[in-house]
């Protein structure tokens, strides 16, 4: 839970909001096929029928450090796309969308391409 204090009052933003916002933004980028689970814990959680996250939330890890966000993304790309161009597009689009929607600075967006599919 990210909590911000301003002159009007306290604002709390849930982690689910960030994962849905970021996942929705990433999946709309050209060349992205899907979001991937990352790590053993997420893989086991995705396998359980009652603990499944939405497809947007998979592969998104958001950390709030020193009033800035650090975002990690695990994705699969389409075969034949320029990987560098797609990753740069995702970094720019996610940073802009999060900053415009929440007003919180994004320190870094780390994109991990786990697979390339035909």
């Amino acid at each position: 839970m990210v909590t911000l204090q301003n002159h009007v009052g306290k604002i709390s933003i849930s982690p689910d909001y960030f994962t849905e916002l970021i996942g929705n933004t990433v999946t709309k980028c050209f060349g992205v096929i899907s979001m991937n689970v990352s790590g053993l814990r997420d893989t086991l959680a995705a396998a359980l029928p009652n603990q499944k996250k939405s497809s947007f939330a998979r592969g998104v890890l958001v950390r709030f450090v020193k009033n800035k966000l650090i975002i990690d993304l695990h994705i699969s790309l389409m075969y034949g796309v320029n990987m560098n161009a797609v990753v740069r597009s995702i970094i720019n689009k996610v940073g802009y969308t999060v900053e415009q929607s929440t007003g919180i600075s994004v320190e870094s967006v780390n994109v991990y391409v786990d697979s390339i599919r035909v």
Side-chain angles (χ1 to χ4, degrees), residues 1-6 9-23 25 62-64 67-71 93-107 109:
M1 182 77 65
V2 175
T3 304
L4 305 170
Q5 184 74 31
N6 63 15
K10 190 187 323 184
I11 300 169
S12 297
I13 304 172
S14 74
D16 291 336
Y17 174 77
F18 285 113
T19 56
E20 290 292 323
L21 175 68
I22 294 166
T25 302
V62 179
R63 293 172 282 159
F64 189 67
N67 295 327
K68 292 188 177 185
L69 292 174
I70 300 172
I71 302 168
K93 194 169 186 179
V94 167
Y96 176 79
T97 302
V98 170
E99 287 181 5
Q100 291 299 311
S101 298
T102 63
I104 301 172
S105 300
V106 176
E107 183 174 323
V109 178

Side-chain angles (χ1 to χ4, degrees), residues 48-81:
L48 297 174
N50 60 350
Q51 296 293 326
K52 287 193 177 183
K53 291 182 176 180
S54 70
S55 61
F56 290 148
R58 292 190 299 156
V60 177
L61 174 66
V62 179
R63 293 172 282 159
F64 189 67
V65 179
K66 297 180 183 176
N67 295 327
K68 292 188 177 185
L69 292 174
I70 300 172
I71 302 168
D72 294 332
L73 304 170
H74 290 267
I75 62 171
S76 292
L77 291 181
M78 184 184 325
Y79 177 79
V81 297

